[in-house]
Every structure is written in C-alpha cells, then in structure tokens.
Amino acid sequence: MKRVLIFAPTAPATGITQYILNILNELKSADANVDILSFHNDRLKKWTEENKTQYFEMDISMYKHPFLYRRFLKDVFSKDYDTVHFNMSSISTLTIFKYAKRCGAKKIIMHSHSSFTDLASKLRRIVFSNLHKFLRIFANRYFDVKCACSVPAAEWMYGKKAAQSALILHNAVDTKKFAFNKVYADEMREKYGITTKFLLGHIGRFTVQKNHTFIIDIFCELCKIRNDCTLMLVGNGEFLENIKNKVRELNLIENVVFVDFQEDIFKYYSAMDLFLMPSLFEGLPITLVEAQANGLPSLVSDAVTRECDLTGLVEFFPLTESNRQWAERICEKLKIGRKNSMDTEKQLEQSGFSLSGQAQVISKLYFE
C-alpha cells in the first residue's frame, strides 16, 4: 500500500483546506494511506478520523523549541512515506524539507497556493517575503515535483526561471454541487432576513490579503447611489472585529450581514447577485471558481491573476480606481445578471477545472 503525507499549515476556513478536502474526497484508491500534518485544523483532522488515517498536529514552535521541533519532524517523516505533498504559501524554513528528504520520502511535491505572504504586520510581510525569496533558492533542490495553482503562484514559490517547469494544478470544484439553485437562494435570503433586491457577497478570511476595508468603503459609496443592496461577508479571521467596528462607524450595520465560515458554503453563492474580490494578491482563489460554477458574475481587483477568468464572468478592475468608480461599476454589473450554470459547468470542465479530472492528475503524482 502506498503511503502519502500531506502537509498543510493552514486554518480550517481557507481555500487550501477546501482544495485538499475536495481532492481527498474524490480520490478512490484503495491502495493508498493518506496521513495529514497540519496545525490545529478540525476539518482535516475529521477527515483522517473518518478515513482511519493519522493526523499529526504541529503545535511546537521551531523558534521557541528547536530541539523538540526537529524531533517531532523526525518522528513524523520516519514512517516510510512514498510521497510527501507540501501545500504552502511561502517558505520560512528549510528544516522541514531536510527532514522529509533525510527520512526517506521517495517523492517530495511542493504545491504553491499564493503569490505573496499574508501577514497582518507590514513589517513582518516585508521581512518574511524577503526571507522566502532567499530560502526558495535553496529549497528548490528538495522538490522532485514543483506545482502551483497559477503562474504567479509558481513564480512566487520557485522564482521565474524555476517556475517554467512547474505543473499547474487547477483549483477544481464540484461543478454540480455549486450550480445555481433557486431553492438555496430563497433559503439563504430568508435565513438572514435579506429583503433588498440585490445581494453582494464576499467569501474569504478576514486578512490583509482580502482587503475587506476596501470592500466596506466601496459598499458605503454604493449605498449613497442606491438603497436596494445588502452586503454579505462570509468567513472569520484576525480582522473580523476591526471590520465590524468600521461597519458600525459608517452606520451600515443594517446593510451588512456577517456570516461565520459554513460547511454548506455552496448554498450561499445562489443567494448572491454579484461576487466582490478586491484582493491585494492571490494565487488562484477557489472561491472565484466556485462563483463561476454558480453562474455568478464577479468584480475583482487587477491584482488577481487573469487565469481565474474561465467563463467570461470575471471582470478585473484597478485597485487604483476610486471608491465611487468601483460603486458605479457595481451598478453596471448588477444590470447584466447571471449566466446559466449549465453553460459554465461545461466551460470549467473544458478548462480542466472539473474535480474528477484534477483528482486523476493528483492520483498519478501520488501513486505512479
């Protein structure tokens, strides 16, 4: 039986976690044993419990307890893994790669999921982004297979030259599951008491990357133009309370709905009329793929890779434009409406974003 270890240092409500679960739930090989190494992540841990595999929780700081950290890595990687699959957004140490290689992993896969480092402090972002760029020079020697969710994510993780040999693994979704459903739309609107004509939505963690402050500024300007819109923000994260305070200060509390992370997130897209994502940077956000599977038009920043527009439903708008210009563009987008999700399902499958197709690619990487 093949033994696989997936490393995913990520929170439960992230696109990386969702991507891993999507793929794992689609893999149907009886010849594999897949263990997971992560921080505290209830969703990934639950998967290992249901599938009777091992979950290793990394709760030891490599800075505070370097000896214990190295001993922990040695214990984990000494379990004769055929494949170790690293799912990361940046590199802050080479130690974990060294132990994977030293302990006998037959194949090491690095999978880049972002195009920058998402830290709250500007100083820490500068320090860790420079550290990442330095360490990636040496890290490349440990990887047997280099993967990324997009070209910018590949260039960020490996450097432009090394990125040319990277395999792009699409952030595929279950297109049928995310298809538009009128029942779900009515259910969600009733559940949250949404009575306005239009519902604008964003799904993502409250971090620097997602630029929630700008979302609120845009929506505030929109409310000066028209009074028939509600904004729904789905997710959690370190800046959630800051954004709630900003909403209160702008007297928008009756117009903005905050929703914690939801397992049945596919229902929420059907209730929305427009998806907003003015991110400061992205790899290739899985939420935008989900929105397109739903036939939902999206207005995103020009910092998001063009690779994510798979259906013609994604419009890129400059972050340098004013709040008023964003609000006016939203008004224009609301006139256009949805696209038939049956059509977008075909487009996503043709673009290689079907879940079954991507699971086959991963299966070959793991088991061949």
Side-chain angles (χ1 to χ4, degrees):
M1 177 179 286
K2 295 281 188 179
R3 291 183 57 82
V4 177
L5 177 69
I6 293 177
F7 175 59
T10 182
T14 62
I16 299 177
T17 294
Q18 190 58 56
Y19 170 82
I20 292 169
L21 289 174
N22 285 349
I23 295 298
L24 288 177
N25 290 329
E26 191 70 20
L27 288 175
K28 303 297 180 183
S29 176
D31 299 323
N33 183 93
V34 181
D35 297 334
I36 295 177
L37 168 64
S38 183
F39 299 139
H40 183 69
N41 190 317
D42 291 336
R43 299 178 73 204
L44 293 179
K45 185 175 183 179
K46 181 182 177 183
W47 186 91
T48 59
E49 290 170 349
E50 291 174 347
N51 290 273
K52 297 180 173 56
T53 60
Q54 286 188 280
Y55 183 85
F56 304 102
E57 187 167 317
M58 184 181 283
D59 56 359
I60 302 170
S61 169
M62 65 177 176
Y63 302 111
K64 294 180 180 179
H65 307 288
F67 176 75
L68 290 177
Y69 175 76
R70 290 194 295 271
R71 189 169 70 181
F72 171 78
L73 292 180
K74 183 178 180 180
D75 290 343
V76 172
F77 288 119
S78 296
K79 300 188 185 301
D80 195 28
Y81 288 108
D82 296 282
T83 300
V84 176
H85 183 180
F86 288 98
N87 292 268
M88 302 175 71
S89 296
S90 62
I91 300 170
S92 59
T93 177
L94 298 178
T95 305
I96 194 166
F97 309 131
K98 290 178 180 178
Y99 272 89
K101 181 71 78 175
R102 187 181 300 170
C103 294
K106 299 176 181 64
K107 182 189 293 183
I108 295 179
I109 302 170
M110 169 57 92
H111 190 165
S112 175
H113 288 271
S114 187
S115 59
F116 198 62
T117 181
D118 189 15
L119 295 169
S121 162
K122 183 177 181 180
L123 177 61
R124 293 190 73 206
R125 286 198 300 276
I126 294 171
V127 170
F128 277 90
S129 64
N130 286 324
L131 176 63
H132 164 80
K133 290 175 183 178
F134 174 72
L135 290 178
R136 74 185 180 189
I137 299 170
F138 307 97
N140 278 321
R141 72 182 69 172
Y142 295 102
F143 310 144
D144 299 300
V145 182
K146 296 190 290 290
C147 303
C149 63
S150 65
V151 172
E155 292 178 346
W156 161 252
M157 184 60 71
Y158 312 114
K160 284 195 173 184
K161 185 175 180 180
Q164 294 174 10
S165 61
L167 172 67
I168 301 300
L169 295 178
H170 300 307
N171 285 345
V173 302
D174 185 337
T175 53
K176 289 182 171 54
K177 183 177 180 180
F178 281 89
F180 176 76
N181 187 307
K182 182 65 164 56
V183 174
Y184 293 157
D186 294 341
E187 177 187 338
M188 292 299 104
R189 282 176 171 264
E190 182 178 355
K191 179 178 180 179
Y192 294 100
I194 297 164
T195 57
T196 53
K197 182 177 181 180
F198 296 110
L199 176 64
L200 282 60
H202 174 83
I203 298 173
R205 282 180 56 76
F206 285 78
T207 63
V208 169
Q209 174 186 6
K210 300 302 181 181
N211 207 9
H212 284 86
T213 299
F214 191 48
I215 294 177
I216 300 304
D217 288 337
I218 295 167
F219 184 68
C220 182
E221 197 65 34
L222 180 68
C223 289
K224 296 175 184 177
I225 301 174
R226 56 195 306 163
N227 62 0
D228 58 353
C229 295
T230 299
L231 173 65
M232 176 180 281
L233 301 176
V234 184
N236 51 40
E238 56 195 310
F239 288 123
L240 174 58
E241 289 306 316
N242 291 355
I243 298 302
K244 285 184 175 180
N245 288 336
K246 184 177 179 70
V247 167
R248 280 190 284 267
E249 289 169 4
L250 294 173
N251 296 316
L252 294 173
I253 197 69
E254 298 298 322
N255 307 91
V256 181
V257 178
F258 290 91
V259 181
D260 199 359
F261 170 77
Q262 303 293 314
E263 288 285 355
D264 59 350
I265 197 66
F266 55 92
K267 294 183 178 181
Y268 287 75
Y269 291 100
S270 291
M272 298 174 185
D273 298 288
L274 181 67
F275 192 79
L276 290 176
M277 181 174 275
S279 298
L280 298 177
F281 57 91
E282 290 284 352
L284 195 152
I286 197 168
T287 50
L288 276 181
V289 183
E290 293 169 347
Q292 290 174 83
N294 192 262
L296 181 63
S298 301
L299 185 63
V300 309
S301 75
D302 55 354
V304 179
T305 174
R306 264 57 176 177
E307 294 173 71
C308 71
D309 185 14
L310 307 163
T311 60
L313 282 170
V314 179
E315 179 180 340
F316 303 91
F317 206 65
L319 279 172
T320 53
E321 297 286 11
S322 67
N323 299 337
R324 182 75 179 193
Q325 288 168 313
W326 272 80
E328 289 174 349
R329 189 60 200 144
I330 288 172
C331 291
E332 293 300 314
K333 295 287 288 183
L334 291 176
K335 295 177 184 177
I336 300 171
R338 290 177 159 274
K339 191 172 182 179
N340 190 315
S341 58
M342 289 182 66
D343 295 334
T344 58
E345 179 182 345
K346 293 177 183 176
Q347 289 176 290
L348 291 174
E349 289 178 353
Q350 290 170 358
S351 300
F353 279 77
S354 71
L355 192 52
S356 59
Q358 278 304 292
Q360 289 177 16
V361 174
I362 294 291
S363 183
K364 288 180 180 179
L365 287 177
Y366 284 179
F367 311 131
E368 292 185 1

